[in-house]
Amino acid sequence: MKAKIISAVVKDGKARQITVNTELTPSIGIHIVGMNDISIRTFLLMTIRAMQNEEFRIPGRKICLVFEPEVTDYDGNYFEFPAAVGIIVASGQARLRELDRCILTGRLDSDGRLGDLPDPMALAEYARERDMLAVMPQMQALSLPKELIDHTLMIDSLYELVEVLKIK
């Protein structure tokens, strides 16, 4: 199965969209394309640990994560959250509604909680311009101006996102 997750990075106050494509195929292993080598190890360990602590499973198949465009000049911590959601969706652990309207960015703590975003204002403005929702921790979203809060989805953990968007 495949999953396409919309993410973004912020640099100098401007957001840029990154697509995280996840595909599971027969075989075993994890392949990451489009991320710098320095970030991969930490990114992968934190993503897997957070998923397991939230009681999601790591599928026994080959996982291929492709970042488009390449994110070689960004820290891999931006992508732990969208990668985990991509693995959950691609492995059939959850079907999520309106995922194509959400911008998922950020690191995950080992317990599956979403870490603070470096520039929530820029991310929310980017989401508003595209009539999308920036997914972010509640405390950060509540600090935004009202016109931007309307373009956020306040989620504090990986599990909470899945519960809120799950197709029942």
Side-chain angles (χ1 to χ4, degrees), residues 2-94:
K2 295 181 181 182
K4 178 180 177 180
I5 307 296
I6 299 169
S7 186
V9 292
V10 178
K11 189 171 189 175
D12 301 326
K14 295 200 180 244
R16 180 179 81 154
Q17 181 172 316
I18 303 292
T19 303
V20 182
N21 293 299
T22 307
E23 183 174 2
L24 274 61
T25 58
S27 189
I28 202 144
I30 299 176
H31 299 271
I32 300 171
V33 179
M35 183 184 286
N36 69 38
D37 292 339
I38 297 168
S39 298
I40 289 175
R41 182 181 167 109
T42 303
F43 155 80
L44 197 53
L45 290 171
M46 289 304 292
T47 302
I48 290 170
R49 195 166 167 199
M51 288 179 64
Q52 290 173 330
N53 285 334
E54 289 275 15
E55 299 186 8
F56 293 104
R57 63 180 168 73
I58 306 305
R61 307 190 78 190
K62 181 168 74 175
I63 300 169
C64 186
L65 297 167
V66 179
F67 296 86
E68 296 175 328
E70 288 187 356
V71 292
T72 55
D73 54 341
Y74 293 94
D75 187 332
N77 289 338
Y78 272 102
F79 306 107
E80 293 167 1
F81 185 43
V85 173
I87 292 168
I88 290 166
V89 170
S91 64
Q93 295 178 66

Side-chain angles (χ1 to χ4, degrees), residues 138-151:
Q138 182 174 351
M139 291 305 293
Q140 284 191 301
L142 291 175
S143 70
L144 297 171
K146 171 138 179 43
E147 66 272 8
L148 293 180
I149 290 176
D150 294 342
H151 291 276

Side-chain angles (χ1 to χ4, degrees), residues 18 100 118 132 146 160:
I18 303 292
D100 58 339
M132 297 179 78
K146 171 138 179 43
E160 188 178 344

